[in-house]
Amino acid sequence: MSCSNGGSSNFDPNNPEAAAIQEKINNHPCYSEGAHQHYARIHVAVAPACNIQCNYCNRKYDCSNESRPGVTSGKLSPEEAVKKVLYVGGDIQQLSVVGIAGPGDALANPKATFKTFKMLQAKAPDLKLCLSTNGLRLPEFIDQIEKYNVDHVTVTINTVDTTGKIGSEIYPWINWGHKKIFGAEGAKILLEQQLKGIQMLTERGILVKANSVLIPGINDKDLPNVAKKLKEMNVFLHNIMPLLSSPEFGTKFGLDGVPSATDQEQMAAQEACGMDMKLMQHCRQCRADAVGLIGEDRGDEFTKETFVNMQFTELEDIYNIEARAQKHEMIENWRGHLDVANERIKIEQATKEELSSTGETKLVAVTTGGEGMINMHFGSAQEFLVYEVGDKAIKFLMHRKIESSYCSGPENCDGNNPIEEIKQTLHDCDILLTEKIGDCPMDELAAINLIADESYALQPIEKSVFDAAKKHFFEKEALELEAELG
């Protein structure tokens, strides 16, 4: 069984090193797939400047209608950021992580980044601290990262091509030594700094998550080499993110007509890289000011006007560390009950042989509002969790977003809905498990041979996924075979 230390079902309590890692990731929604439906994160946009140019990036400010990295509705000072964290943490008590992920690069804005972390250490000591970086200045700030207990660092590394050819197609330039360095020369410097910095982090026991943007036709063939290198360097997690390249995003790739990566291309890249590295498969490519559970964004509820004029003493009372600790204890009790209910049937990074005695697997999509349950109506879903299922076990594959839900309110439930987009999104899935679905969309999904089943409403996701696949396929096929044999 291909087990890892990334989820509670695979955790070996007798391994001290695994126990220490499990403690670090247990309530971290990005580093633990098992935590992401229970714990929330907040990104504070204190880092506007960037020191490299990426052809897939266009940083946008005062933007509320796009959900992708580099986008934010406003920039914050360190003081404003800490006030926001305290205010949000009092309202969303399952908040467990605060990260600095832009909208530029955290380490291209070191004064603001580390001032924010210093203040958070004092005023919100129960939160895990994270930063995201392109890695160019990572070696320079290792000591500060360690000093402020930032024990989760994400580094975006898209290629390990030492010639700089692939990198030059992704990065037009870097800012190094107070001047712009273009093309392959700049790409080689960036890679050297990334690898040096990652090695320094892992040697100090800081968990590293590597992000790689899948850019078909440019770095897709090199990503397995990236995964091999990351494994050599003891990187904890590899997140392969599909290129988001719509022209309206204003990126170089988008304006040049480079298409976004498809779900199938992402699945193929994950399969190619998963033999070497533990993968993060629940990423949502969050905004630089994201708030809430992964898969939701409550940022509009917490505008600057709601907290900026409040005093820190008042905000610390709102934050209420004792009440938050009680909430987290309740969450852990619930997760324990879920583990029992789900019968520990999920294997992370499983091969088809580990999932299925015959090599046959099915894809099952789920609508959920979180907490590990099938607790969202089909009409309200804006994303689907997708699992691969065999007759022995299951594994989580990915989430798939849609532009808008099937029914966004009574005034829009008149047949003007995105069913064709949903059918395309789920075209390779075999079963959809949802809390409730109407006859009309159920018939539409049946037209693409997708079984919509609401009989597992308000039940634990993992066991339901396994049981549904058995009911609709594996047990049915076994009975049919038995009948054929007489």
Side-chain angles (χ1 to χ4, degrees):
M1 186 175 290
S2 177
C3 297
S4 69
N5 52 18
S8 59
S9 60
N10 298 322
F11 169 52
D12 177 7
N14 297 316
N15 183 333
E17 184 177 349
I21 292 175
Q22 181 65 22
E23 176 65 24
K24 283 186 177 182
I25 70 168
N26 182 63
N27 66 349
H28 197 306
C30 301
Y31 281 67
S32 169
E33 192 270 320
H36 91 279
Q37 293 190 54
H38 305 280
Y39 289 101
R41 85 300 191 216
I42 182 171
H43 292 168
V44 288
V46 299
C50 197
N51 48 14
I52 70 173
Q53 179 60 51
C54 305
N55 284 333
Y56 54 73
C57 181
N58 179 27
R59 288 173 287 138
K60 290 186 178 180
Y61 307 111
D62 300 321
C63 181
S64 61
N65 61 353
E66 290 182 20
S67 182
R68 59 182 177 84
V71 170
T72 179
S73 292
K75 294 169 282 186
L76 300 173
S77 69
E79 291 81 4
E80 290 169 342
V82 175
K83 284 186 174 184
K84 182 175 183 178
V85 170
L86 294 173
Y87 188 81
V88 170
D91 188 276
I92 305 176
Q93 290 184 327
Q94 63 267 47
L95 183 73
S96 62
V97 172
V98 57
I100 298 176
D105 186 85
L107 298 182
N109 303 261
K111 289 184 179 180
T113 292
F114 291 112
K115 183 176 181 180
T116 303
F117 285 145
K118 181 179 181 179
M119 294 178 68
L120 285 169
Q121 270 190 320
K123 298 188 179 299
D126 60 331
L127 289 177
K128 288 179 166 60
L129 305 181
C130 301
L131 68 81
S132 295
T133 178
N134 56 47
L136 183 61
R137 297 184 69 183
L138 185 52
E140 183 182 346
F141 293 108
I142 291 292
D143 289 339
Q144 288 93 323
I145 289 170
E146 188 173 45
K147 175 181 177 181
Y148 293 109
N149 297 321
V150 182
D151 54 7
H152 299 76
V153 175
T154 295
V155 183
T156 299
I157 178 168
N158 296 311
T159 176
V160 290
D161 169 34
T162 56
T163 70
K165 180 180 183 303
I166 296 174
S168 68
E169 297 183 62
I170 302 172
Y171 313 107
W173 53 261
I174 68 169
N175 193 329
W176 184 246
H178 304 292
K179 64 180 181 179
K180 286 185 178 180
I181 300 179
F182 295 86
E185 183 184 357
K188 287 192 287 186
I189 292 171
L190 176 61
L191 177 60
E192 289 169 3
Q193 290 294 105
Q194 289 170 333
L195 296 179
K196 181 180 178 182
I198 289 171
Q199 192 66 53
M200 295 170 78
L201 288 170
T202 57
E203 286 174 354
R204 298 192 187 202
I206 297 169
L207 290 186
V208 178
K209 174 168 70 72
N211 283 350
S212 297
V213 180
L214 167 62
I215 312 166
I218 294 180
N219 73 339
D220 49 335
K221 299 296 188 295
D222 194 43
L223 287 182
N225 299 324
V226 175
K228 288 183 174 66
K229 187 65 177 178
L230 296 176
K231 184 175 183 179
E232 287 176 18
M233 301 177 74
N234 295 315
V235 169
F236 178 71
L237 198 61
H238 191 192
N239 177 26
I240 299 170
M241 309 185 299
L243 173 68
L244 301 178
S245 190
S246 297
E248 60 267 25
F249 293 164
T251 67
K252 176 71 162 56
F253 283 146
L255 295 174
D256 286 351
V258 178
S260 299
T262 66
D263 292 331
Q264 287 65 41
E265 287 170 331
Q266 185 184 9
M267 288 168 63
Q270 289 174 337
E271 185 173 355
C273 296
M275 299 299 292
D276 290 295
M277 272 298 299
K278 171 178 165 56
L279 301 179
M280 178 185 181
Q281 294 170 294
H282 60 283
C283 175
R284 304 304 202 270
Q285 292 178 269
C286 302
R287 291 166 55 103
D289 57 1
V291 176
L293 295 172
I294 290 185
E296 72 174 5
D297 193 350
R298 296 177 56 184
D300 288 347
E301 300 175 35
F302 304 102
T303 58
K304 189 182 292 190
E305 298 75 36
T306 60
F307 58 82
V308 72
N309 292 321
M310 299 177 73
Q311 299 299 312
F312 275 112
T313 51
E314 182 183 0
L315 286 164
E316 287 166 8
D317 288 340
I318 290 171
Y319 189 71
N320 195 339
I321 286 183
E322 184 177 337
R324 286 173 42 78
Q326 292 173 356
K327 175 67 173 181
H328 287 214
E329 184 178 354
M330 291 172 59
I331 292 172
E332 288 307 304
N333 287 337
W334 174 244
R335 291 178 72 186
H337 290 305
L338 274 181
D339 269 350
V340 173
N342 283 319
E343 298 177 354
R344 301 178 183 273
I345 53 174
K346 184 176 70 175
I347 306 174
E348 296 187 18
Q349 309 300 112
T351 63
K352 284 192 183 296
E353 290 73 21
E354 291 168 320
L355 296 176
S356 171
S357 59
T358 64
E360 179 187 13
T361 59
K362 302 294 181 180
L363 295 186
V364 180
V366 176
T367 65
T368 179
E371 298 186 341
M373 306 291 284
I374 301 170
N375 56 1
M376 178 173 284
H377 289 206
F378 171 78
S380 300
Q382 288 191 273
E383 71 168 19
F384 303 89
L385 306 188
V386 179
Y387 293 80
E388 185 175 10
V389 192
D391 61 351
K392 294 162 61 178
I394 75 172
K395 74 172 179 180
F396 179 73
L397 274 187
M398 59 170 51
H399 75 97
R400 295 183 183 175
K401 289 184 179 181
I402 53 175
E403 288 297 320
S404 58
S405 57
Y406 179 81
C407 179
S408 56
E411 68 280 5
N412 293 320
C413 286
D414 56 2
N416 183 20
N417 52 60
I419 191 63
E420 293 304 320
E421 181 195 1
I422 294 171
K423 286 160 68 174
Q424 178 58 35
T425 299
L426 301 179
H427 77 277
D428 56 345
C429 293
D430 301 286
I431 306 171
L432 168 67
L433 301 185
T434 186
E435 183 181 355
K436 189 73 176 176
I437 185 170
D439 291 339
C440 182
M442 186 180 290
D443 290 342
E444 289 273 8
L445 297 178
I448 60 168
N449 298 313
L450 177 56
I451 300 166
D453 189 338
E454 58 186 18
S455 67
Y456 296 92
L458 304 180
Q459 297 300 308
I461 290 174
E462 293 168 15
K463 185 174 187 300
S464 298
V465 165
F466 189 54
D467 289 348
K470 286 196 298 182
K471 178 177 77 173
H472 289 292
F473 291 101
F474 302 125
E475 288 180 350
K476 182 179 178 181
E477 290 171 359
L479 289 173
E480 289 174 349
L481 178 61
E482 186 177 328
E484 287 178 15
L485 297 175

